[in-house]
Amino acid sequence: MTTQALLPEFTISELYFTAWKSGRINRQHRQQIESAILTNSLSEPDRKVISRLLYAVRRGWLSVVD
């Protein structure tokens, strides 16, 4: 049996702020985004925020780290 560390959950807007403040998206952020997308639990404003984050990664404004 594996033990998974309990990670704090962020709202999408908190995740956006944290990513822009640090200039990077970490593994926890990626997992939360993936989970929200797969469960279809996103409002339209949250979808737009995630779209902005992905655009920033493509443009090189945010980096993806492990």
Side-chain angles (χ1 to χ4, degrees):
M1 179 194 308
T2 61
T3 304
Q4 182 179 9
L6 295 175
L7 301 173
E9 288 289 322
F10 294 104
T11 64
I12 299 298
S13 58
E14 289 172 335
L15 188 145
Y16 181 80
F17 174 76
T18 305
W20 275 107
K21 184 178 175 185
S22 68
R24 61 182 72 139
I25 294 176
N26 63 27
R27 180 181 303 235
Q28 177 187 358
H29 295 148
R30 291 193 328 252
Q31 289 174 343
Q32 185 176 355
I33 291 170
E34 289 172 10
S35 175
I37 291 170
L38 291 174
T39 60
N40 290 327
S41 64
L42 293 174
S43 64
E44 187 60 30
D46 286 345
R47 288 182 193 278
K48 288 181 180 181
V49 168
I50 290 174
S51 179
R52 288 182 198 153
L53 285 171
L54 296 175
Y55 180 76
V57 169
R58 286 193 308 268
R59 298 289 294 175
W61 300 334
L62 292 175
S63 59
V64 179
V65 296
D66 277 334

